[in-house]
């Protein structure tokens, strides 16, 4: 934190130095204020005093790391207290509150704006306004540590929990029940619960954990989504048309292979929410059933001209979440299918939005 505070103090100075009419009188991250001999008050992380013409301005910055929406609201509460104190006990004509962090998400910046707070982060996002001064800058850059923290909530294990929650966003989950349904540890569910609360995508009450912003969660997951990791191979089958569909359905519906193979991507979307037909059949499969699939589907390895793609996922949990549709082969869950489609070309993303409109619409 100390290093981040020093870097933010430098960043704040650089932003203020861009205004020729401002004179920086002092910049400190160790400013201590006391109103009596026996009582020292909590101090802001960064305090800057500037002068503009004959007006004195005090900028008070509270640093949070990480700066998820929940932490930002806490910073705002502290800044309100600082503003009151400096207006009463400082000779400043203007007190300007600023939330600082290594990175502030768009959601966190919106919260600051609604509260009338400025903001500053190390990625270059900044908004500071007072009197005739207005500094605003936005960037799509994201520091690597912040990017890693942001993606952590969408790790494979966390994804198992999120897909379970998105099956019924209105349902309230106890930790034990959610861990059992998601097939993850209690500790992992607790970590995901904390991450969702910090980002204000869920809340916890007497009934348990339930999502409050499933669309925002899915949007963020889509932005950070990385395709399923695992071995990918390409094949060619001489089967086509109705013969291919019947053979495929029979091969994937075998009782002893239940939960070990399913259609994915556009191939799954054709059954879940038909919109676009692809030339390639995509399969998720457990390595254990590959010999049977190769024989049943008459697959031959192909470097060019392939019409079947097989993904053997490192995370086998997704295979247990397959969806059974009457008269159709088993397919990947709507959430996984949507995420996979979102990583395709423009037409694939159109298919993703169509599927979301049909199956992932929440109120």
């Amino acid at each position: 934190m100390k290093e981040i505070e020093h870097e933010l103090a430098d960043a704040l100075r650089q932003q203020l130095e861009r205004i020729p009419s401002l004179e920086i009188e002092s910049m400190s991250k160790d400013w201590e204020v006391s109103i009596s001999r026996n009582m020292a008050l909590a101090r802001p992380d960064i305090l800057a005093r500037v002068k503009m013409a004959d007006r004195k301005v005090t900028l008070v910055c509270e640093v949070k790391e990480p700066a998820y929406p929940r932490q930002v609201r806490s910073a705002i509460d502290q800044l309100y207290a600082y503003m009151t104190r400096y207006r009463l006990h400082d000779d400043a004509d203007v007190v300007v509150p600023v939330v600082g962090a290594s990175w502030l998400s768009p959601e966190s910046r919106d919260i600051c704006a609604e509260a009338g707070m400025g903001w500053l982060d190390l990625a270059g996002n900044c908004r500071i306004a007072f009197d005739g001064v207005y500094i605003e800058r936005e960037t799509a850059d994201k520091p690597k540590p912040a990017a890693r923290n942001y993606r952590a909530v969408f790790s494979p294990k966390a994804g198992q929990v999120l897909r379970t929650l998105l099956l019924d966003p209105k349902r309230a989950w106890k930790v034990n029940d959610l861990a059992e349904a998601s097939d993850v540890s209690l500790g992992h569910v607790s970590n995901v619960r904390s991450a969702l609360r910090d980002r204000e995508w869920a809340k916890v009450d007497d009934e348990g954990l339930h999502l409050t912003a499933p669309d925002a969660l899915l949007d963020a997951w889509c932005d950070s989504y990385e395709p399923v990791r695992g071995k990918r191979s390409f094949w060619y089958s001489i089967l086509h048309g109705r013969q291919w569909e019947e053979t495929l359905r029979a091969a994937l519906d075998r009782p002893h292979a239940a939960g070990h193979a399913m259609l994915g991507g556009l191939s799954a979307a054709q059954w879940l929410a038909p919109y676009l037909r692809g030339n390639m059949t995509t399969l998720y499969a457990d390595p254990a059933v590959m010999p049977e699939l190769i024989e049943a589907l008459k697959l031959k390895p192909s470097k060019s001209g392939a019409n079947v793609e097989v993904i053997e996922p490192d995370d086998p949990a997704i295979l247990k979440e397959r969806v059974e549709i009457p008269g159709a082969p088993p397919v990947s869950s709507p959430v996984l299918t949507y995420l996979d489609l979102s990583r395709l070309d423009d037409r694939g993303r159109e298919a993703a939005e169509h599927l979301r409109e049909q199956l992932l619409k929440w109120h």
Side-chain angles (χ1 to χ4, degrees), residues 69-136:
R70 194 177 181 203
Q71 284 77 15
V72 167
R73 293 191 193 279
S74 173
I76 289 171
D77 289 341
Q78 290 175 269
L79 286 168
Y80 278 133
Y82 292 144
M83 290 169 66
T84 301
R85 182 193 314 162
Y86 280 96
R87 283 170 180 160
L88 290 174
H89 304 287
D90 195 67
D91 62 351
D93 297 301
V94 181
V95 179
V96 182
V98 179
V99 176
S102 63
W103 183 71
L104 287 158
S105 69
E107 294 83 3
S108 291
R109 281 175 257 159
D110 287 343
I111 292 171
C112 291
E114 290 171 5
M117 302 284 164
W119 63 79
L120 176 72
D121 69 22
L122 298 179
N125 298 295
C126 175
R127 186 186 182 200
I128 300 172
F130 58 90
D131 287 1
V133 173
Y134 190 85
I135 306 170
E136 183 166 18

Coordinates of all heavy atoms in Angstrom, one line a residue, residues 69-136:
P69 N -16.2 -1.9 -6.0 CA -17.3 -1.0 -5.6 C -17.5 -1.0 -4.1 O -17.7 0.1 -3.5 CB -18.5 -1.6 -6.3 CG -17.9 -2.1 -7.6 CD -16.6 -2.7 -7.2
R70 N -17.4 -2.1 -3.4 CA -17.7 -2.1 -2.0 C -16.6 -1.3 -1.2 O -16.9 -0.5 -0.3 CB -17.7 -3.6 -1.4 CG -18.3 -3.7 0.0 CD -18.3 -5.2 0.3 NE -18.9 -5.4 1.6 CZ -18.6 -6.5 2.4 NH1 -17.8 -7.4 1.9 NH2 -19.2 -6.6 3.5
Q71 N -15.3 -1.5 -1.6 CA -14.3 -0.7 -1.0 C -14.3 0.8 -1.3 O -14.0 1.6 -0.5 CB -12.9 -1.3 -1.4 CG -12.5 -2.6 -0.8 CD -13.2 -3.8 -1.3 OE1 -13.8 -3.7 -2.4 NE2 -13.2 -4.9 -0.6
V72 N -14.8 1.1 -2.6 CA -14.9 2.5 -3.0 C -16.0 3.2 -2.1 O -15.8 4.3 -1.7 CB -15.2 2.5 -4.5 CG1 -15.7 3.9 -4.9 CG2 -14.0 2.1 -5.3
R73 N -17.1 2.5 -1.9 CA -18.1 3.1 -1.0 C -17.5 3.4 0.4 O -17.9 4.4 1.0 CB -19.3 2.2 -0.9 CG -20.0 2.1 -2.3 CD -21.4 1.4 -2.1 NE -21.9 1.1 -3.4 CZ -22.6 1.9 -4.2 NH1 -22.8 3.1 -3.9 NH2 -23.1 1.4 -5.4
S74 N -16.7 2.5 0.9 CA -16.0 2.7 2.2 C -15.1 4.0 2.1 O -15.1 4.8 3.0 CB -15.2 1.5 2.6 OG -14.5 1.8 3.7
A75 N -14.4 4.1 1.0 CA -13.5 5.3 0.8 C -14.3 6.6 0.8 O -13.9 7.6 1.4 CB -12.7 5.1 -0.4
I76 N -15.5 6.5 0.1 CA -16.3 7.7 0.0 C -16.8 8.1 1.4 O -16.9 9.3 1.7 CB -17.5 7.4 -0.9 CG1 -17.0 7.3 -2.4 CG2 -18.6 8.5 -0.8 CD1 -18.0 6.8 -3.4
D77 N -17.2 7.1 2.2 CA -17.7 7.5 3.6 C -16.5 8.2 4.4 O -16.8 9.1 5.1 CB -18.1 6.2 4.3 CG -19.4 5.6 3.8 OD1 -20.1 6.4 3.2 OD2 -19.6 4.4 4.1
Q78 N -15.3 7.7 4.2 CA -14.2 8.3 4.9 C -13.9 9.7 4.4 O -13.6 10.6 5.1 CB -12.9 7.4 4.7 CG -13.0 6.1 5.5 CD -11.8 5.3 5.2 OE1 -11.8 4.4 4.3 NE2 -10.7 5.4 6.0
L79 N -14.1 9.9 3.1 CA -13.8 11.2 2.5 C -14.9 12.2 2.9 O -14.5 13.4 3.1 CB -13.8 11.1 0.9 CG -12.6 10.4 0.3 CD1 -12.8 10.1 -1.1 CD2 -11.4 11.4 0.5
Y80 N -16.1 11.8 3.1 CA -17.1 12.7 3.6 C -16.7 13.2 5.0 O -16.8 14.4 5.3 CB -18.5 12.0 3.7 CG -19.3 12.0 2.4 CD1 -19.9 10.8 2.0 CD2 -19.4 13.1 1.7 CE1 -20.6 10.7 0.8 CE2 -20.2 13.0 0.5 CZ -20.7 11.8 0.1 OH -21.4 11.8 -1.1
A81 N -16.2 12.3 5.8 CA -15.7 12.8 7.2 C -14.5 13.7 7.1 O -14.5 14.7 7.8 CB -15.3 11.5 8.0
Y82 N -13.6 13.4 6.2 CA -12.4 14.3 6.0 C -12.9 15.7 5.5 O -12.4 16.7 5.9 CB -11.5 13.7 5.0 CG -10.7 12.5 5.4 CD1 -10.4 11.5 4.5 CD2 -10.3 12.3 6.8 CE1 -9.8 10.3 4.9 CE2 -9.7 11.2 7.2 CZ -9.4 10.2 6.2 OH -8.7 9.0 6.7
M83 N -13.8 15.7 4.6 CA -14.3 17.0 4.0 C -14.9 17.9 5.1 O -14.6 19.1 5.2 CB -15.3 16.7 2.9 CG -14.8 16.1 1.6 SD -16.1 15.5 0.5 CE -16.9 17.1 0.1
T84 N -15.7 17.3 6.0 CA -16.3 18.0 7.1 C -15.2 18.6 8.0 O -15.2 19.8 8.4 CB -17.2 17.1 7.9 OG1 -18.3 16.7 7.0 CG2 -17.9 17.9 9.0
R85 N -14.2 17.8 8.3 CA -13.2 18.2 9.2 C -12.3 19.3 8.6 O -12.1 20.3 9.3 CB -12.2 17.0 9.5 CG -11.1 17.3 10.5 CD -10.1 16.3 10.5 NE -10.7 15.0 10.6 CZ -10.1 13.8 10.4 NH1 -8.8 13.9 9.9 NH2 -10.7 12.7 10.5
Y86 N -11.9 19.2 7.4 CA -11.1 20.2 6.8 C -11.8 21.5 6.5 O -11.2 22.6 6.6 CB -10.4 19.7 5.5 CG -9.3 18.8 5.7 CD1 -9.4 17.4 5.8 CD2 -8.0 19.3 6.0 CE1 -8.3 16.6 6.0 CE2 -6.9 18.5 6.3 CZ -7.1 17.1 6.3 OH -6.0 16.3 6.6
R87 N -13.1 21.4 6.3 CA -13.9 22.7 6.2 C -14.0 23.4 7.5 O -14.1 24.6 7.5 CB -15.3 22.3 5.6 CG -15.3 22.0 4.2 CD -16.6 21.4 3.7 NE -16.6 21.2 2.3 CZ -17.5 20.3 1.7 NH1 -18.4 19.7 2.5 NH2 -17.5 20.1 0.4
L88 N -14.0 22.6 8.6 CA -14.1 23.2 9.9 C -12.7 23.7 10.5 O -12.7 24.8 11.1 CB -14.7 22.2 10.9 CG -16.2 21.9 10.7 CD1 -16.6 20.8 11.7 CD2 -17.1 23.1 10.9
H89 N -11.7 23.0 10.2 CA -10.4 23.2 10.9 C -9.3 23.6 9.9 O -8.1 23.8 10.4 CB -10.0 22.0 11.7 CG -11.0 21.6 12.7 ND1 -11.3 22.2 13.8 CD2 -11.9 20.5 12.6 CE1 -12.3 21.6 14.5 NE2 -12.7 20.6 13.8
D90 N -9.5 23.8 8.7 CA -8.5 24.1 7.7 C -8.8 25.5 7.1 O -10.0 25.9 7.1 CB -8.4 23.1 6.6 CG -7.1 23.2 5.8 OD1 -6.0 22.9 6.4 OD2 -7.2 23.5 4.6
D91 N -7.8 26.2 6.7 CA -8.1 27.5 6.1 C -8.4 27.5 4.6 O -8.4 28.5 3.9 CB -7.0 28.5 6.4 CG -5.7 28.0 5.8 OD1 -5.6 26.9 5.3 OD2 -4.7 28.8 5.8
A92 N -8.7 26.2 4.1 CA -8.9 26.1 2.7 C -10.3 26.7 2.3 O -11.3 26.6 3.1 CB -8.9 24.6 2.3
D93 N -10.4 27.3 1.1 CA -11.6 27.8 0.6 C -12.4 26.6 0.0 O -13.7 26.7 -0.1 CB -11.4 28.9 -0.4 CG -10.7 30.1 0.2 OD1 -11.3 30.7 1.1 OD2 -9.6 30.4 -0.3
V94 N -11.7 25.7 -0.6 CA -12.3 24.5 -1.3 C -11.6 23.2 -0.8 O -10.4 23.2 -0.7 CB -12.2 24.6 -2.8 CG1 -12.9 23.5 -3.5 CG2 -12.7 26.0 -3.3
V95 N -12.4 22.2 -0.5 CA -11.9 20.9 -0.2 C -12.4 19.9 -1.3 O -13.6 19.8 -1.5 CB -12.4 20.4 1.2 CG1 -11.9 19.0 1.5 CG2 -12.0 21.4 2.3
V96 N -11.5 19.2 -1.9 CA -11.8 18.3 -3.0 C -11.5 16.9 -2.6 O -10.3 16.5 -2.4 CB -10.9 18.7 -4.3 CG1 -11.3 17.8 -5.4 CG2 -11.1 20.2 -4.6
P97 N -12.5 16.0 -2.6 CA -12.3 14.6 -2.3 C -11.9 13.8 -3.5 O -12.5 14.0 -4.6 CB -13.6 14.2 -1.7 CG -14.6 15.0 -2.5 CD -13.9 16.3 -2.8
V98 N -11.0 12.9 -3.3 CA -10.5 12.0 -4.4 C -10.3 10.6 -4.0 O -9.7 10.4 -2.9 CB -9.1 12.5 -5.0 CG1 -8.7 11.6 -6.2 CG2 -9.3 14.0 -5.5
V99 N -10.8 9.6 -4.7 CA -10.6 8.2 -4.4 C -9.4 7.8 -5.3 O -9.4 8.0 -6.5 CB -11.8 7.3 -4.8 CG1 -11.5 5.9 -4.6 CG2 -13.0 7.7 -3.9
G100 N -8.4 7.1 -4.7 CA -7.2 6.7 -5.4 C -7.1 5.2 -5.3 O -7.5 4.5 -4.3
A101 N -6.5 4.6 -6.4 CA -6.3 3.1 -6.4 C -5.3 2.8 -7.5 O -5.0 3.6 -8.4 CB -7.6 2.4 -6.6
S102 N -4.8 1.6 -7.6 CA -4.0 1.2 -8.7 C -4.8 1.1 -10.0 O -4.3 1.4 -11.0 CB -3.3 -0.2 -8.4 OG -4.3 -1.2 -8.3
W103 N -6.1 0.7 -9.8 CA -7.0 0.7 -10.9 C -8.4 0.8 -10.4 O -8.8 0.1 -9.5 CB -6.8 -0.6 -11.8 CG -7.7 -0.6 -13.0 CD1 -7.6 0.2 -14.1 CD2 -8.9 -1.4 -13.2 NE1 -8.6 -0.1 -15.0 CE2 -9.4 -1.1 -14.5 CE3 -9.6 -2.4 -12.5 CZ2 -10.5 -1.7 -15.0 CZ3 -10.7 -3.0 -13.0 CH2 -11.2 -2.6 -14.3
L104 N -9.2 1.6 -11.1 CA -10.6 1.8 -10.8 C -11.4 1.3 -12.0 O -11.3 1.9 -13.1 CB -10.9 3.2 -10.4 CG -10.4 3.7 -9.1 CD1 -10.3 5.2 -9.1 CD2 -11.3 3.3 -8.0
S105 N -12.3 0.4 -11.8 CA -13.2 -0.1 -12.8 C -14.2 0.9 -13.2 O -14.4 1.9 -12.5 CB -13.9 -1.4 -12.4 OG -14.8 -1.1 -11.4
P106 N -14.8 0.8 -14.4 CA -15.8 1.8 -14.8 C -17.0 1.8 -13.7 O -17.5 2.9 -13.5 CB -16.3 1.2 -16.1 CG -15.2 0.5 -16.7 CD -14.5 -0.1 -15.5
E107 N -17.3 0.7 -13.1 CA -18.3 0.7 -12.1 C -17.9 1.5 -10.9 O -18.7 2.3 -10.4 CB -18.6 -0.8 -11.7 CG -19.3 -1.7 -12.7 CD -18.2 -2.3 -13.7 OE1 -17.0 -2.1 -13.5 OE2 -18.7 -3.0 -14.6
S108 N -16.7 1.3 -10.5 CA -16.2 2.1 -9.3 C -16.1 3.6 -9.7 O -16.4 4.4 -8.8 CB -14.8 1.6 -8.9 OG -14.9 0.3 -8.4
R109 N -15.7 3.9 -10.9 CA -15.7 5.3 -11.3 C -17.1 5.9 -11.3 O -17.3 7.1 -10.9 CB -15.1 5.5 -12.7 CG -13.5 5.4 -12.6 CD -13.0 5.5 -14.0 NE -12.5 4.1 -14.4 CZ -12.4 3.8 -15.7 NH1 -12.7 4.6 -16.7 NH2 -12.0 2.5 -16.0
D110 N -18.1 5.1 -11.7 CA -19.5 5.6 -11.7 C -20.0 5.9 -10.3 O -20.7 6.9 -10.1 CB -20.4 4.6 -12.4 CG -20.2 4.5 -13.9 OD1 -19.7 5.5 -14.5 OD2 -20.7 3.5 -14.5
I111 N -19.6 5.1 -9.4 CA -19.9 5.3 -8.0 C -19.3 6.6 -7.5 O -20.0 7.3 -6.8 CB -19.5 4.1 -7.1 CG1 -20.3 2.8 -7.5 CG2 -19.6 4.4 -5.6 CD1 -19.8 1.5 -6.8
C112 N -18.1 6.8 -7.8 CA -17.4 8.1 -7.4 C -18.2 9.3 -8.0 O -18.4 10.3 -7.3 CB -16.0 8.1 -7.9 SG -14.9 7.0 -7.0
A113 N -18.6 9.2 -9.3 CA -19.2 10.3 -9.9 C -20.6 10.6 -9.3 O -20.9 11.7 -9.0 CB -19.4 10.0 -11.4
E114 N -21.3 9.5 -8.9 CA -22.6 9.7 -8.3 C -22.5 10.4 -6.9 O -23.4 11.1 -6.5 CB -23.3 8.3 -8.2 CG -23.8 7.7 -9.5 CD -24.2 6.3 -9.3 OE1 -24.3 5.8 -8.2 OE2 -24.5 5.6 -10.3
A115 N -21.4 10.1 -6.3 CA -21.2 10.7 -4.9 C -20.5 12.1 -5.0 O -20.2 12.7 -4.0 CB -20.3 9.7 -4.1
G116 N -20.2 12.5 -6.2 CA -19.5 13.8 -6.3 C -18.1 13.8 -6.0 O -17.5 14.8 -5.6
M117 N -17.4 12.6 -6.1 CA -16.0 12.4 -5.8 C -15.2 12.4 -7.0 O -15.6 11.9 -8.1 CB -15.8 11.1 -5.0 CG -16.6 11.0 -3.7 SD -15.9 12.0 -2.4 CE -17.3 12.0 -1.2
G118 N -13.9 12.9 -6.9 CA -13.0 12.7 -7.9 C -12.3 11.4 -7.8 O -12.5 10.6 -6.9
W119 N -11.5 11.0 -8.8 CA -10.8 9.7 -8.8 C -9.5 9.8 -9.5 O -9.3 10.7 -10.4 CB -11.7 8.6 -9.3 CG -12.0 8.7 -10.8 CD1 -11.2 8.4 -11.9 CD2 -13.3 9.1 -11.3 NE1 -11.9 8.6 -13.0 CE2 -13.2 9.1 -12.7 CE3 -14.5 9.6 -10.7 CZ2 -14.2 9.4 -13.6 CZ3 -15.5 9.9 -11.6 CH2 -15.4 9.8 -13.0
L120 N -8.6 8.9 -9.2 CA -7.3 8.8 -9.8 C -6.7 7.4 -9.6 O -6.8 6.8 -8.5 CB -6.4 9.8 -9.0 CG -4.9 9.8 -9.4 CD1 -4.7 10.5 -10.8 CD2 -4.1 10.6 -8.4
D121 N -6.2 6.8 -10.7 CA -5.6 5.5 -10.6 C -4.3 5.5 -11.4 O -4.0 6.4 -12.2 CB -6.5 4.4 -11.0 CG -6.9 4.3 -12.5 OD1 -6.1 4.9 -13.3 OD2 -7.9 3.7 -12.8
L122 N -3.5 4.4 -11.2 CA -2.2 4.3 -11.8 C -2.3 3.9 -13.3 O -1.2 3.9 -14.0 CB -1.3 3.4 -11.0 CG -1.1 3.8 -9.6 CD1 -0.2 2.7 -8.9 CD2 -0.4 5.1 -9.5
A123 N -3.5 3.6 -13.8 CA -3.6 3.2 -15.2 C -3.8 4.5 -16.0 O -3.6 4.5 -17.2 CB -4.9 2.3 -15.4
G124 N -4.0 5.6 -15.4 CA -4.2 6.9 -16.1 C -5.6 7.5 -16.1 O -5.9 8.5 -16.6
N125 N -6.5 6.8 -15.4 CA -7.9 7.3 -15.3 C -7.9 8.4 -14.2 O -7.3 8.2 -13.1 CB -8.9 6.2 -14.9 CG -9.0 5.1 -15.9 OD1 -9.4 5.3 -17.0 ND2 -8.5 3.9 -15.6
C126 N -8.5 9.5 -14.5 CA -8.5 10.6 -13.6 C -9.7 11.5 -13.8 O -10.1 11.8 -15.0 CB -7.2 11.4 -13.8 SG -7.0 12.9 -12.8
R127 N -10.2 12.0 -12.7 CA -11.2 13.1 -12.8 C -11.1 13.9 -11.5 O -11.3 13.5 -10.4 CB -12.6 12.6 -12.9 CG -13.6 13.7 -13.1 CD -15.1 13.2 -13.1 NE -16.0 14.3 -13.3 CZ -17.3 14.2 -13.0 NH1 -17.8 13.2 -12.4 NH2 -18.1 15.2 -13.3
I128 N -10.7 15.2 -11.7 CA -10.6 16.1 -10.6 C -11.2 17.4 -11.1 O -10.8 18.0 -12.1 CB -9.1 16.4 -10.2 CG1 -8.4 15.0 -9.8 CG2 -9.0 17.4 -9.1 CD1 -6.9 15.1 -9.6
A129 N -12.2 17.9 -10.3 CA -12.9 19.1 -10.7 C -13.1 20.0 -9.5 O -13.6 19.5 -8.4 CB -14.2 18.8 -11.4
F130 N -12.8 21.3 -9.6 CA -13.2 22.3 -8.6 C -13.0 23.7 -9.3 O -12.1 23.9 -10.1 CB -12.3 22.1 -7.4 CG -10.8 22.3 -7.7 CD1 -10.2 23.5 -7.6 CD2 -10.0 21.2 -8.0 CE1 -8.8 23.6 -7.9 CE2 -8.7 21.3 -8.2 CZ -8.0 22.5 -8.2
D131 N -13.9 24.6 -8.8 CA -13.9 25.9 -9.4 C -13.8 25.8 -10.9 O -14.6 25.2 -11.6 CB -12.8 26.7 -8.8 CG -13.0 27.1 -7.4 OD1 -14.1 26.7 -6.8 OD2 -12.2 27.8 -6.7
G132 N -12.8 26.5 -11.5 CA -12.7 26.5 -13.0 C -11.8 25.4 -13.5 O -11.4 25.4 -14.7
V133 N -11.3 24.5 -12.6 CA -10.4 23.4 -13.0 C -11.2 22.1 -13.3 O -12.1 21.7 -12.5 CB -9.4 23.1 -11.9 CG1 -8.5 21.9 -12.2 CG2 -8.5 24.4 -11.7
Y134 N -10.9 21.5 -14.4 CA -11.6 20.2 -14.7 C -10.5 19.4 -15.5 O -10.1 19.7 -16.6 CB -12.8 20.5 -15.6 CG -13.6 19.2 -15.8 CD1 -14.6 18.9 -14.9 CD2 -13.4 18.4 -16.9 CE1 -15.3 17.7 -15.0 CE2 -14.2 17.3 -17.1 CZ -15.2 16.9 -16.1 OH -15.9 15.8 -16.3
I135 N -10.1 18.3 -14.8 CA -9.2 17.3 -15.4 C -9.9 16.0 -15.5 O -10.4 15.5 -14.5 CB -8.0 17.1 -14.5 CG1 -7.3 18.5 -14.2 CG2 -7.0 16.2 -15.2 CD1 -6.2 18.4 -13.2
E136 N -10.0 15.5 -16.7 CA -10.6 14.1 -16.9 C -9.9 13.4 -18.0 O -9.6 13.9 -19.0 CB -12.1 14.3 -17.2 CG -12.8 12.9 -17.3 CD -14.3 13.0 -17.3 OE1 -14.8 14.0 -17.6 OE2 -14.9 11.9 -17.1

